[in-house]
Amino acid sequence: MSLESPESGQETFTHNVEFELNGSPERHCVPTSATVLDLLRNSCGKQGVRASCERSVCGACTVLVDDLPVAACSTFAFDIEGARVETVEGLAAQDGTLSAQQQAFSECGGFQCGFCTSGMLMLTTGLLRQNPQPNREEIRDWISSNTCRCTGYEMILESVERAAELAGAKQQDQASE
């Protein structure tokens, strides 16, 4: 279903939304009831934003809006007007080089079954921007909004710690250049 084309017989109020998605400008006309999840998956093709509980409980749909983690399933699309939105698709560099978070999750097995991984990666990105060297308790608190169905948080915690190491090393390399 296209967000621009309501089902036959239904009257839909729409809203124009302009925002930046993974560094590129986007403009869409969406029903006022559309969520960020609807917009990103159906109109922008960002399938890394997972639809799961659709009640803002599990965290699988987490994206960053102006650097803050947001549950895309429970945020109206019109709320991101003028915002900078980031999804998991925007983490890797243009040449395909993985971000520190992606590399760390791969190295440490933090992806597990993969269902919660995109949300975990976005939470980790938001955490490391606010706190580049979080301790274990801060990591545990930060990722508590994302439910891991594999019950294996230890590898995720190790992945976040490794991501902090990799991001710190990358910053030191850039500073010395």
Side-chain angles (χ1 to χ4, degrees):
M1 177 178 100
S2 169
L3 290 176
E4 289 82 15
S5 303
E7 293 180 28
S8 177
Q10 289 185 332
E11 184 176 337
T12 301
F13 295 101
T14 59
H15 187 88
N16 289 320
V17 180
E18 292 184 43
F19 60 102
E20 180 184 304
L21 177 59
N22 298 329
S24 298
E26 294 279 337
R27 184 173 196 272
H28 298 273
C29 181
V30 297
T32 53
S33 61
T35 65
V36 172
L37 176 69
D38 299 329
L39 175 61
L40 294 176
R41 287 185 63 87
N42 299 335
S43 295
C44 301
K46 301 304 179 196
Q47 301 301 305
V49 183
R50 301 290 172 109
S52 184
C53 73
E54 300 191 41
R55 295 179 301 153
S56 164
V57 173
C58 74
C61 66
T62 301
V63 298
L64 296 181
V65 176
D66 294 332
D67 289 327
L68 296 176
V70 168
C73 71
S74 59
T75 303
F76 286 114
F78 59 76
D79 282 337
I80 61 169
E81 172 69 32
R84 186 171 37 85
V85 178
E86 297 172 79
T87 66
V88 72
E89 289 90 347
L91 289 181
Q94 293 287 334
D95 67 0
T97 303
L98 298 179
S99 69
Q101 301 85 317
Q102 291 169 311
Q103 183 178 340
F105 272 70
S106 177
E107 286 178 13
C108 300
F111 52 85
Q112 302 178 128
C113 81
F115 194 82
C116 69
T117 304
S118 57
M120 287 289 186
L121 286 168
M122 299 317 294
L123 282 170
T124 301
T125 300
L127 169 61
L128 296 181
R129 286 181 184 165
Q130 290 193 16
N131 181 358
Q133 296 179 329
N135 64 38
R136 180 62 71 111
E137 208 47 45
E138 291 165 328
I139 296 168
R140 191 180 303 278
D141 184 53
W142 194 272
I143 67 170
S144 66
S145 63
N146 192 328
T147 304
C148 171
R149 289 148 183 89
C150 297
T151 70
Y153 285 95
E154 187 63 27
M155 291 185 292
I156 294 170
L157 293 168
E158 291 170 4
S159 297
V160 177
E161 290 170 335
R162 178 69 178 140
E165 290 173 12
L166 292 170
K170 184 177 179 181
Q171 286 180 340
Q172 286 181 347
D173 287 348
Q174 290 173 340
S176 65
E177 291 179 353

